[in-house]
Amino acid sequence: MWLLDRDLWTEILNTLSKNMFRTFLTMLGVFFAMIILLLLLGATNGMSNSFDKIFEGTSSNSLFMWSQQTSEPYKGFERGRRIRFTTDDVELLKKQIPEIDIISPRIQLGGYNTPVSVYRNGRTSGSSVLGDYPLIDEVTKKNIVEGRFLNNKDIEYSKKVCVIGQEAYEQLFDKGEEAIGHSIRVNGVFFTVIGIYKKNENIDIDGDNAVFIPFTTCKKTFGGGNQVGFMAMTIYPEYTVPPIEAKIKKLLKNKYSIHPDDERAIGSFDMSRIFNSVSAFTGVLNGFSFFVGIFTLLAGIIAVSNILLITVKERTKEIGIRRALGATPRVVKRQIVLEAILITVFAGLLGFTLSTAILAGANVIFEGMENVPITNAIFSIPQFLISFFLLVVLSVLIGLIPANRAVKVKPIDALREE
Amino acid sequence: MIEIKDLHKSYKMGSNSLHVLKGLNFNIKEGELVAIMGSSGSGKSTLLNILGMLDELDEGSYTLDGVPIKNLNETKAAQYRNKFLGFIFQSFNLINYKTAVENVALPLYYQGVNRKERQEKALKYLEQVGLKEWAGHLPSELSGGQKQRVAIARALAAEPKVLMADEPTGALDSQTSYEVMDLIQKINDDGNTILVVTHEPDIADMCKRIVHLKDGVIVEDKKVDQVRASQYV
Ligand SMILES: Nc1ncnc2c1ncn2[C@@H]1O[C@H](COP(=O)(O)OP(=O)(O)O)[C@@H](O)[C@H]1O
Ligand SMILES: [Mg+2]
């Protein structure tokens, strides 16, 4: 197998290394093209990572739903009727809509419906108070910095415990003051702080001026019957959210005798919509940079071919000598194609190494910066493999041009004395 | 070893055609040292190129060591050249980025000889031309005479049936020319068949037979008493 022929490779390596300057020039094109391609890919990947970070902690297939007032008269009801979801609705949805993975009801104190005061040692924080199940943590992840989030025991025993946001903490406590194990008052009722969370970087629906208390405690302590203000859901990833959203609304509209076209009675927010538009954007960006990068690479390889073509002309005499000494056209072609491959592969690997180093360096620098929308910029292994595969295939194809040129000149013409 | 019958060759240049070789007949036996003499433009190189399978004849026949040479494709020609022939050129035609020993080993590489044997043989032939100590030098570090001796070693390395030299002393001063001819004579003494193209009578006289070309025909083909070059060295 000639591919493993050590002599062949020695001959090629010799030719390349003894013509260092020529080899170097030839390599430059591919080297820079590879760097540009990989940096482009790395940068766009870094940008998509940044976008992903925005959604970090929020399940992409999540749906939030709450009740409002009707805007259409229907079945003898006048418009403006206040709809109130109840825990029965939660059970209904669990039963009737199998596409729902998690459903977590919430009661909200404060805001425009019920006034709430959060108080400690003469300070108030103006926080909203949310009666939640621990499940909410799986829909929008709470970034706990101290202590823990609510758990099932808190729900079961309706414990008077709370998890507070960073801002609520700052409003109620002195800087550095211990909060865990200490109490705050919600509408005059003492709650022990068991955890502090920091809000997620970018998208966070609840913010960090909030106090989370167990759903059951909230109901027992502050009343409100079986009403539910808000339902957070996640849909199994194999489904898309909008049709399920419609299905849920239809079910609830039917139950509450809401006009089918009433858009206002039930409010909802579909996180996947934003998520999808951003992923579509990064997808396009990725495709575009790959496209640009591949063309850069192509340009680099054409440059190699060009230089090889020039050197083949320069080497007419050498090639003529080799052929007079018994090199068959096939052997001559093979050598030139392999030279092309070796140059591009080597230059490609150098480019790969350097761009990896550049990206690694850039990542270290950008990590400390808030405003650079690039996170962990690196090309993926498949991206690299595809680029590399293309590089080799193209270099073979394009190496054939100078190779054919090399054997077109008859040895006698190559050797003719001037 | 070489049989030529009624060999014709002309070059076409546009509508004109230049008839260079006009029906040559001659045979060369094994072990001969033949000079092909003639003034510039008489067709010596053309003849040697045809004999060297670097060019094709138009008419006639050419047999080398019993093998009829005709209608060779470039691959076959390259293989025959590699197997049968050793070339020595006026301008040496060494590969400038290869050392002396690498140049000598090159035809062996194309013969598929393994690395170790290549190295050994190349050194052996460099020794034969008296350049063993120069094995690692590049052509640019060698004098003209040394370069031609490396080229001769290279031609010998493939152990060809016939050595073909086109004006081997054309680029050398007379002293160096005699040294090269001395070497060629010694190689011939070992039994090698050699063809030397030259337009210099003193070089031709150092061969054993002179074929005189003029206007594309052989005007004279005679055996001569060889003048030994060693007496001038
Ligand atoms: N490739 C060619 N095309 C056209 N004419 C050629 C070619 N090669 C040689 N000739 C002509 O053929 C004649 C013989 O050339 P050549 O064999 O080189 O002579 P010599 O070697 O004896 O000086 C010359 O007139 C030369 O100009
Ligand atoms: Mg000539």
Side-chain angles (χ1 to χ4, degrees):
Chain A
M1 178 67 171
W2 58 263
L3 208 60
L4 300 174
D5 181 0
R6 193 173 131 206
D7 284 339
L8 175 65
W9 289 104
T10 316
E11 180 67 28
I12 289 162
L13 281 175
N14 257 337
T15 306
L16 292 179
S17 63
K18 289 190 172 165
N19 296 283
M20 240 1 206
F21 184 66
R22 188 177 82 199
T23 308
F24 172 75
L25 268 186
T26 320
M27 279 173 47
L28 273 184
V30 170
F31 175 68
F32 283 117
M34 195 72 180
I35 288 182
I36 290 171
L37 170 66
L38 292 180
L39 288 188
L40 260 172
L41 287 176
T44 41
N45 287 349
M47 282 175 78
S48 8
N49 288 343
S50 271
F51 286 126
D52 288 348
K53 218 168 87 178
I54 296 177
F55 295 98
E56 207 170 53
T58 305
S59 179
S60 63
N61 245 13
S62 52
L63 174 64
F64 304 89
M65 207 170 271
W66 57 92
S67 53
Q68 303 180 147
Q69 288 177 331
T70 58
S71 60
E72 305 272 343
Y74 191 56
K75 288 192 176 165
F77 292 107
E78 282 186 28
R79 55 184 296 200
R81 176 169 53 106
R82 184 82 176 97
I83 306 293
R84 291 191 196 281
F85 290 157
T86 67
T87 44
D88 293 343
D89 297 332
V90 176
E91 295 309 315
L92 180 74
L93 292 186
K94 268 189 200 165
K95 242 184 257 144
Q96 303 276 326
I97 315 282
E99 292 90 343
I100 295 178
D101 179 12
I102 297 171
I103 178 162
S104 180
R106 162 183 290 178
I107 302 166
Q108 177 159 6
L109 303 178
Y112 54 92
N113 34 19
T114 19
V116 66
S117 83
V118 177
Y119 172 92
R120 177 179 179 270
N121 279 358
R123 305 188 202 179
T124 54
S125 65
S127 315
S128 46
V129 175
L130 309 170
D132 259 304
Y133 279 93
L135 270 180
I136 190 70
D137 200 35
E138 288 178 37
V139 185
T140 58
K141 186 90 192 144
K142 292 289 164 264
N143 196 356
I144 296 290
V145 289
E146 224 186 315
R148 62 166 176 87
F149 193 64
L150 301 174
N151 64 22
N152 289 329
K153 281 254 157 59
D154 301 332
I155 295 289
E156 199 180 331
Y157 301 112
S158 306
K159 289 190 189 167
K160 293 213 173 62
V161 291
C162 65
V163 177
I164 61 176
Q166 190 103 36
E167 198 188 328
Y169 166 80
E170 280 162 17
Q171 300 282 340
L172 298 171
F173 292 85
D174 289 329
K175 207 172 165 135
E177 196 182 350
E178 177 73 40
I180 306 289
H182 293 264
S183 295
I184 61 172
R185 275 157 58 180
V186 175
N187 285 354
V189 181
F190 282 98
F191 281 80
T192 309
V193 176
I194 55 166
I196 301 173
Y197 71 89
K198 207 171 82 185
K199 74 167 180 173
N200 288 319
E201 281 284 302
N202 297 291
I203 287 202
D204 194 309
I205 312 175
D206 302 323
D208 61 354
N209 190 7
V211 174
F212 285 81
I213 60 176
F215 185 87
T216 47
T217 317
C218 186
K219 218 155 68 169
K220 281 187 184 150
T221 315
F222 303 111
N226 61 354
Q227 282 179 13
V228 166
F230 176 95
M231 293 185 281
M233 290 168 261
T234 62
I235 307 300
Y236 281 112
E238 56 265 36
Y239 302 103
T240 53
V241 176
I244 311 300
E245 181 184 4
K247 202 166 149 188
I248 295 170
K249 280 191 174 171
K250 195 173 165 201
L251 184 72
L252 292 172
K253 279 178 178 171
N254 201 24
K255 181 180 170 186
Y256 287 103
S257 303
I258 301 168
H259 192 286
D261 296 334
D262 191 338
E263 296 296 333
R264 300 258 283 280
I266 299 173
S268 64
F269 178 71
D270 171 8
M271 184 63 92
S272 75
R273 233 173 264 189
I274 295 184
F275 198 84
N276 288 341
S277 59
V278 171
S279 355
F281 173 69
T282 55
V284 167
L285 201 66
N286 250 319
F288 179 72
S289 62
F290 206 73
F291 189 72
V292 169
I294 290 298
F295 273 92
T296 321
L297 201 63
L298 192 67
I301 292 170
I302 289 173
V304 170
S305 178
N306 254 323
I307 296 181
L308 279 179
L309 212 65
I310 294 168
T311 62
V312 158
K313 273 189 197 159
E314 251 175 44
R315 289 166 72 188
T316 311
K317 187 119 194 176
E318 179 203 325
I319 292 166
I321 297 169
R322 286 174 181 271
R323 292 174 68 188
L325 296 180
T328 57
R330 231 182 70 141
V331 168
V332 171
K333 271 201 231 176
R334 188 166 67 196
Q335 170 155 359
I336 289 169
V337 170
L338 287 178
E339 280 178 20
I341 295 176
L342 212 65
I343 287 174
T344 46
V345 165
F346 188 66
L349 284 178
L350 273 187
F352 162 74
T353 313
L354 190 69
S355 34
T356 309
I358 292 175
L359 287 172
N363 283 334
V364 169
I365 294 168
F366 291 154
E367 207 163 66
M369 298 190 191
E370 287 277 319
N371 299 326
V372 181
I374 286 182
T375 309
N376 195 18
I378 193 73
F379 42 84
S380 67
I381 290 173
Q383 281 172 335
F384 170 68
L385 289 180
I386 291 174
S387 319
F388 206 74
F389 177 75
L390 277 176
L391 184 75
V392 174
V393 170
L394 287 176
S395 64
V396 172
L397 291 181
I398 262 170
L400 280 172
I401 299 171
N404 281 322
R405 173 71 67 91
V407 295
K408 231 164 82 185
V409 183
K410 285 169 74 181
I412 178 175
D413 295 321
L415 289 173
R416 178 163 294 125
E417 319 274 345
E418 253 69 43
Chain B
M1 181 64 68
I2 288 177
E3 289 169 38
I4 288 290
K5 282 207 186 75
D6 196 30
L7 187 147
H8 285 265
K9 175 76 183 175
S10 37
Y11 290 114
K12 278 152 208 72
M13 290 181 298
S15 54
N16 293 2
S17 157
L18 183 66
H19 202 171
V20 180
L21 300 177
K22 305 166 182 165
L24 306 186
N25 289 285
F26 68 91
N27 295 332
I28 295 172
K29 286 195 283 294
E30 198 171 344
E32 279 198 279
L33 174 53
V34 181
I36 298 172
M37 264 285 278
S39 56
S40 184
S42 56
K44 309 182 295 291
S45 294
T46 304
L47 173 60
L48 200 74
N49 287 337
I50 290 171
L51 296 180
M53 292 175 239
L54 292 167
D55 207 348
E56 278 171 39
L57 50 81
D58 293 340
E59 263 176 60
S61 71
Y62 167 27
T63 312
L64 176 62
D65 198 29
V67 181
I69 306 298
K70 62 175 186 192
N71 297 332
L72 297 182
N73 62 27
E74 190 36 58
T75 302
K76 202 82 196 144
Q79 285 164 350
Y80 279 11
R81 281 197 294 270
N82 187 247
K83 210 162 96 187
F84 292 139
L85 304 174
F87 290 98
I88 300 160
F89 303 94
Q90 178 176 351
S91 55
F92 325 127
N93 281 343
L94 299 176
I95 292 178
N96 57 19
Y97 61 84
K98 283 184 178 286
T99 61
V101 68
E102 286 167 347
N103 265 289
V104 176
L106 200 57
L108 297 169
Y109 168 70
Y110 290 123
Q111 276 183 351
V113 173
N114 75 45
R115 181 180 200 75
K116 193 160 155 271
E117 204 178 324
R118 258 180 2 233
Q119 185 74 9
E120 279 169 10
K121 273 195 172 174
L123 280 175
K124 183 184 117 188
Y125 285 105
L126 270 182
E127 188 171 24
Q128 190 178 337
V129 301
L131 288 176
K132 200 179 181 188
E133 304 77 58
W134 295 84
H137 287 256
L138 290 174
S140 55
E141 297 160 347
L142 303 175
S143 71
Q146 286 175 320
K147 281 185 208 169
Q148 194 59 298
R149 282 192 281 161
V150 171
I152 291 171
R154 182 176 68 184
L156 286 173
E159 288 166 358
K161 300 209 179 294
V162 181
L163 281 182
M164 298 192 167
D166 194 350
E167 310 265 11
T169 61
L172 305 174
D173 60 68
S174 58
Q175 182 59 36
T176 317
S177 295
Y178 296 146
E179 284 168 24
V180 167
M181 281 314 290
D182 181 39
L183 183 60
I184 287 177
Q185 285 178 339
K186 282 177 180 151
I187 293 164
N188 175 245
D189 293 343
D190 295 339
N192 291 293
T193 315
I194 307 178
L195 262 93
V196 178
V197 161
T198 182
H199 64 272
E200 296 166 271
D202 57 336
I203 298 297
D205 286 339
M206 291 176 177
C207 298
K208 293 173 175 168
R209 173 180 163 194
I210 299 176
V211 175
H212 207 124
L213 271 186
K214 195 175 177 190
D215 298 329
V217 292
I218 297 174
V219 291
E220 192 181 27
D221 183 349
K222 62 173 184 192
K223 290 227 158 40
V224 291
D225 286 332
Q226 191 183 34
V227 176
R228 292 302 291 195
S230 53
Q231 66 195 59
Y232 302 110
V233 176

